Amino acid sequence: MLSAGRLFAAARATASTAANATAAKLPQQRGFVTFRGRPEYIASIKRAWRLQRWRNRAIAAASVAGVCGYAVYNYDTAYLVAVSLHRSSVAAKVTCQVAWDYYRNFPDLLPEDSECIDEEERQRILDARSAVHLRSAERVKRALMKNGGVYIKLGQHISAMQYVLPMEWCLTMQSLQDQNTASSLEDVDRVIRADVGRSIDDLFQVFDPTPIGVASLAQVHRAVLRDTGEEVAVKVQHPMVRKYSDIDIATVSVMFEFIHSVFPEFKFMWLSAEMKTSLPQELDFRNDKTNAEKVVWEFAKYPDIPLAVPKMIQASERVLIMEYVGGRRCDDLAFLRKHDIDPEAVSREIGRIFAEMTFVHGFLHCDPHPGNLFVRPRDKRTTAHGYNFDLVLLDHGLYRQLSPRFRYEYAEMWHALMKGNRDQIKYWSRKISGTDLYQLFSTILTGQHWKVIESKSLSQTTSAAQFSMDALMEAQPEILRQITEILASVPPVLLLVLKTNDLLRMIDTSLFADQPPIVQRHAQLQSWLRISHYCLAAIRDIRASDIVHSSSHLGFIQATKRIIRLALNRLDFLYMDTMLWMYSVSLKMRDSLTRLYA
C-alpha cells in the first residue's frame, strides 16, 4: 500500500506528462511556432508596429514633398496664403492687445452727481483714459502700417471719425494720409506691362522713378508720353493690394466682431461693410476716369468756380494716365502765402464745390482730404473765374450718387438746424437717421453742442466746432452706445456724407490756423452760411417742382394760383438768402477790421 506522499508525487507527474503531451499537439493543430515553449505572437505584433511606424513616416514624407511640389509649381498661390496668414495674425495680435489694455487699464468716469467728486481724482481718471487711447492708437497705427494697403485705408477712415472717436485716435491716424510705403520701380513696370501691354520704356519718353505721391492703394509718377510728348501723371496700383483685399476685409470684419463680443457697445461692423462696398470701386481705375469726366461735365456750367480736374487720357483696372497738374496741398499755408493766395477764398470755394455736389448735382466726392485737394497758382487776368488759383480735385475713385429725395431731406434737416426748430429737427432727423436720438444726431452733423443748436444760434455762434468725446461721455455715460446706434441705423450713403463733412471741417480748421481766434470763429460761421444758401436753393427747387407737377389739367384760376405759389416760393427764398448774404458781408467787414488792428 502506497503512502500519501508517494501518491501525491505520482499524481503530479501524471499531470505534467499530460500537459506536455497537450502542448506538443497544439502547434500542429493551431499553427503556433514555439520558442522555448512560448508563442511568438508578441514578437509578431512588435514587427507590425515597426512596419506601421515606417509606413506613417513614408506618408508624412510624401505629404511634405507634395506640399513643397505644389508650392514650387504654384508659387503665387502658396505665397499669397502664407502672407495672408501673416497679415491676419498681425491684425489679430493687435486686436487682442488693445482689447486687453482697455479691459484692464481703462477706468470708468465718475458720475456728475457723485457726492465725493474730487477734481484731482477726476483729472487723474481722464489722464489715464487718454493714455490708454493714445497707447492703443499707436499700437493699431503700427500694425496698419506694417500690413499696408486696405489697412491704411481703414486708418484713414478712423482719422475722419471725430464725431465718434476720441481725439487721440483721430490725430494719431491722420499721419496715415501721407505715411505710405512706395512700390519698387520693378513692381510698377510689372503692373504696367500686365495692364497696358507695354513696358515703361515703350510707353514713356521720360518716367520719374521717384513717385510724387504715395497713397494706400496706389502711387503716382510724373512722366512724358513717348507718342505725343505730353506731360502726364501715371497712377499705378500697388501690385498686391487687389490680391489681399478680400482676406483683409474679412479679417477686419472678424476683428470688429471680436471687439463687439468683448465690448457690446462697440458696433462698428458698418465700417467693414462700407469698405466692402467702396473698395472694389476704388481698386478699378476705370471708375476714376468715368467719375472725373462726369464732374467736369457737371461743373462746365459754372465758370465762376475755380475747379480743375485733370484730363483723363487712358485707364485700365490698375493703371491710370492723366494730365499732369502742378500745385500743393490746399492746407499748405506757407505755399499759399508765397503765391499771395487768400486762404479764406480757398476755404470759400472748397465749400461751394462740395455744396454744389451735395445739394445740386447729387454726385459727391467722398474722400476730400488735403492730399486730394491741391491749389495751383494762376494769373487771375487769364482765368474766367477771376481768382489767382485753381482748386485741383484728385482721386476720383470714391463717389456716391445722392438721390433727389435724400438731398431734399438733408437740406430740410440743415435748414431746421439753422433755425433751431426742435420739432422740425426731430422730424427730419427721424426721416434721415431712422432713430429718435435727434439731439445727438444734430451734434454729429454740425460738430456743435445741442445747447448751441437749440438756442437758435447755430448760424451766429462764435464757439469752436470741435468737442471732446471724453467730455461728452463724462456728461452722458451712454453717449458711445447711442452714437454707435445712430451709425448702425443711418443709410450707408449718409455715413460717407458725414465723413466728407468732417474732412472739410478739418481743412477749414487748417486754413485758418494762423488767424486771430475771432477770424477763425467767423470762418466757421461763413461755412454755415454757405450751407444755408444751398439748402434754401435745394428746398426752393424741390418745392417748385412739386407745385408744377401737382396737377396736369388746370383751369385759369388754378393756373393763376400755381403761378402765385411759385412766385411766393421764389420770394421766400430771395428774402432769406438776402439776409444770409448781408450777415456774411458784415462778418467779412469785421474780419477786415480785426486784421487791420491786430
Side-chain angles (χ1 to χ4, degrees):
M1 188 173 185
L2 294 175
S3 66
R6 288 179 179 180
L7 184 60
F8 178 75
R12 186 172 63 177
T14 303
S16 177
T17 302
N20 288 337
T22 304
K25 294 177 182 179
L26 282 175
Q28 290 86 19
Q29 292 175 358
R30 301 190 180 178
F32 284 178
V33 179
T34 60
F35 180 73
R36 293 183 181 179
R38 296 179 57 196
E40 204 181 39
Y41 63 92
I42 296 177
S44 301
I45 291 174
K46 288 182 178 180
R47 284 196 299 272
W49 284 348
R50 283 196 295 270
L51 184 62
Q52 183 65 36
R53 188 166 59 231
W54 281 107
R55 187 182 294 114
N56 292 341
R57 289 176 180 174
I59 292 173
S63 301
V64 171
V67 170
C68 292
Y70 179 83
V72 169
Y73 289 101
N74 300 274
Y75 174 78
D76 288 343
T77 303
Y79 179 78
L80 177 62
V81 171
V83 174
S84 297
L85 289 173
H86 172 71
R87 292 161 68 85
S88 300
S89 68
V90 171
K93 178 182 176 181
V94 75
T95 300
C96 293
Q97 287 177 333
V98 169
W100 181 253
D101 198 1
Y102 272 97
Y103 180 76
R104 287 296 302 272
N105 303 316
F106 195 65
D108 292 330
L109 288 166
L110 294 175
E112 280 287 335
D113 56 351
S114 177
E115 296 180 358
C116 51
I117 294 179
D118 184 350
E119 202 56 41
E120 242 180 73
E121 177 66 12
R122 173 163 289 164
Q123 188 58 47
R124 187 194 66 77
I125 291 175
L126 291 176
D127 291 343
R129 292 166 68 93
S130 178
V132 175
H133 287 324
L134 188 58
R135 188 166 60 243
S136 300
E138 288 290 349
R139 279 190 182 128
V140 171
K141 176 187 167 184
R142 287 194 296 269
L144 298 180
M145 293 181 66
K146 186 174 182 178
N147 280 347
V150 173
Y151 289 92
I152 297 289
K153 203 72 179 175
L154 173 63
Q156 292 172 354
H157 274 287
I158 292 173
S159 70
M161 295 170 62
Q162 297 183 21
Y163 49 84
V164 59
L165 292 177
M167 288 305 297
E168 291 88 349
W169 279 87
C170 298
L171 294 176
T172 300
M173 297 298 168
Q174 279 180 16
S175 60
L176 292 178
Q177 303 288 357
D178 304 309
Q179 296 181 9
N180 297 286
T181 304
S183 298
S184 67
L185 186 61
E186 292 76 15
D187 284 339
V188 170
D189 186 50
R190 196 176 298 114
V191 172
I192 292 176
R193 282 176 181 271
D195 271 44
V196 183
R198 299 169 67 181
S199 68
I200 288 178
D201 292 336
D202 292 340
L203 198 56
F204 304 104
Q205 181 181 340
V206 178
F207 189 90
D208 188 351
T210 304
I212 57 177
V214 182
S216 57
L217 305 181
Q219 62 193 52
V220 180
H221 293 261
R222 194 170 179 177
V224 176
L225 287 174
R226 186 173 293 280
D227 296 340
T228 64
E230 184 178 1
E231 188 175 18
V232 295
V234 185
K235 182 179 178 181
V236 183
Q237 192 174 116
H238 298 309
M240 301 304 290
V241 167
R242 184 182 294 274
K243 290 184 178 181
Y244 295 148
S245 61
D246 290 339
I247 188 66
D248 285 347
I249 291 175
T251 302
V252 169
S253 300
V254 171
M255 180 176 66
F256 284 172
E257 290 286 354
F258 171 74
I259 298 175
H260 174 58
S261 67
V262 178
F263 303 103
E265 67 273 13
F266 184 97
K267 299 177 182 177
F268 286 93
M269 285 71 74
W270 56 267
L271 183 54
S272 59
E274 175 54 39
M275 290 181 65
K276 192 179 297 184
T277 301
S278 301
L279 195 63
Q281 299 176 23
E282 294 186 80
L283 289 176
D284 189 345
F285 291 169
R286 292 171 296 188
N287 291 326
D288 285 58
K289 184 174 184 293
T290 302
N291 294 336
E293 290 170 348
K294 184 172 182 178
V295 169
V296 170
W297 182 82
E298 294 280 10
F299 280 88
K301 48 184 171 291
Y302 302 103
D304 59 322
I305 296 180
L307 175 64
V309 176
K311 181 180 69 174
M312 301 292 147
I313 298 172
Q314 182 179 348
S316 64
E317 278 193 272
R318 297 187 295 169
V319 179
L320 176 65
I321 303 174
M322 64 192 121
E323 168 195 11
Y324 174 77
V325 179
R328 297 285 288 275
R329 288 168 53 118
C330 64
D331 60 349
D332 189 337
L333 293 178
F335 179 78
L336 299 182
R337 301 298 184 199
K338 178 181 176 181
H339 292 87
D340 197 28
I341 297 173
D342 184 9
E344 182 182 351
V346 172
S347 170
R348 180 173 62 251
E349 294 308 311
I350 289 175
R352 285 184 65 197
I353 290 169
F354 282 89
E356 288 280 350
M357 287 181 170
T358 304
F359 296 106
V360 181
H361 306 152
F363 191 59
L364 181 63
H365 187 299
C366 295
D367 198 18
H369 62 78
N372 288 339
L373 269 170
F374 275 30
V375 174
R376 176 177 63 177
R378 293 287 302 275
D379 183 352
K380 65 179 180 181
R381 293 171 297 182
T382 64
T383 63
H385 48 67
Y387 292 99
N388 65 340
F389 65 89
D390 284 334
L391 287 170
V392 184
L393 187 59
L394 304 171
D395 194 358
H396 298 271
L398 184 58
Y399 276 77
R400 281 295 181 270
Q401 187 71 52
L402 310 180
S403 68
R405 178 53 52 186
F406 174 84
R407 299 203 307 270
Y408 171 67
E409 293 175 353
Y410 190 61
E412 287 281 15
M413 179 69 190
W414 269 105
H415 187 44
L417 290 169
M418 295 300 173
K419 295 188 298 183
N421 187 320
R422 176 191 283 262
D423 293 337
Q424 287 294 309
I425 291 172
K426 187 175 181 179
Y427 175 79
W428 291 112
S429 175
R430 176 68 182 173
K431 291 276 288 185
I432 294 175
S433 70
T435 71
D436 293 322
L437 301 170
Y438 64 95
Q439 296 183 13
L440 184 56
F441 180 66
S442 302
T443 299
I444 293 174
L445 195 58
T446 63
Q448 289 287 353
H449 290 286
W450 171 250
K451 290 181 180 178
V452 175
I453 300 169
E454 190 180 28
S455 62
K456 304 183 180 181
S457 58
L458 183 59
S459 59
Q460 301 174 7
T461 182
T462 55
S463 61
Q466 294 184 354
F467 53 86
S468 166
M469 277 300 301
D470 271 335
L472 284 177
M473 289 183 68
E474 186 173 9
Q476 305 176 49
E478 293 294 311
I479 193 76
L480 181 59
R481 181 191 60 77
Q482 293 174 352
I483 288 176
T484 56
E485 180 182 334
I486 289 175
L487 297 179
S489 302
V490 300
V493 68
L494 183 56
L495 295 172
L496 286 178
V497 172
L498 293 174
K499 173 196 169 186
T500 303
N501 285 348
D502 269 6
L503 289 172
L504 294 175
R505 276 201 286 264
M506 288 166 54
I507 291 175
D508 256 356
T509 302
S510 301
L511 286 171
F512 292 91
D514 62 348
Q515 295 295 311
I518 187 66
V519 176
Q520 295 181 18
R521 293 193 289 269
H522 286 174
Q524 175 191 323
L525 289 178
Q526 293 285 11
S527 68
W528 300 137
L529 296 176
R530 282 192 296 273
I531 291 175
S532 296
H533 165 77
Y534 280 96
C535 288
L536 291 173
I539 294 170
R540 174 203 63 195
D541 293 341
I542 292 292
R543 289 177 178 175
S545 177
D546 289 343
I547 293 171
V548 169
H549 295 94
S550 58
S551 179
S552 56
H553 303 287
L554 298 176
F556 175 76
I557 296 177
Q558 289 81 5
T560 303
K561 288 182 177 180
R562 186 168 68 175
I563 292 173
I564 293 173
R565 289 174 63 196
L566 287 171
L568 290 175
N569 180 55
R570 183 75 179 180
L571 289 174
D572 186 45
F573 164 76
L574 289 174
Y575 169 75
M576 290 188 287
D577 199 44
T578 301
M579 299 299 294
L580 293 176
W581 176 80
M582 291 175 61
Y583 186 50
S584 177
V585 170
S586 70
L587 290 177
K588 291 179 182 178
M589 293 175 62
R590 291 168 64 183
D591 288 347
S592 299
L593 292 173
T594 301
R595 292 191 184 98
L596 183 64
Y597 292 105

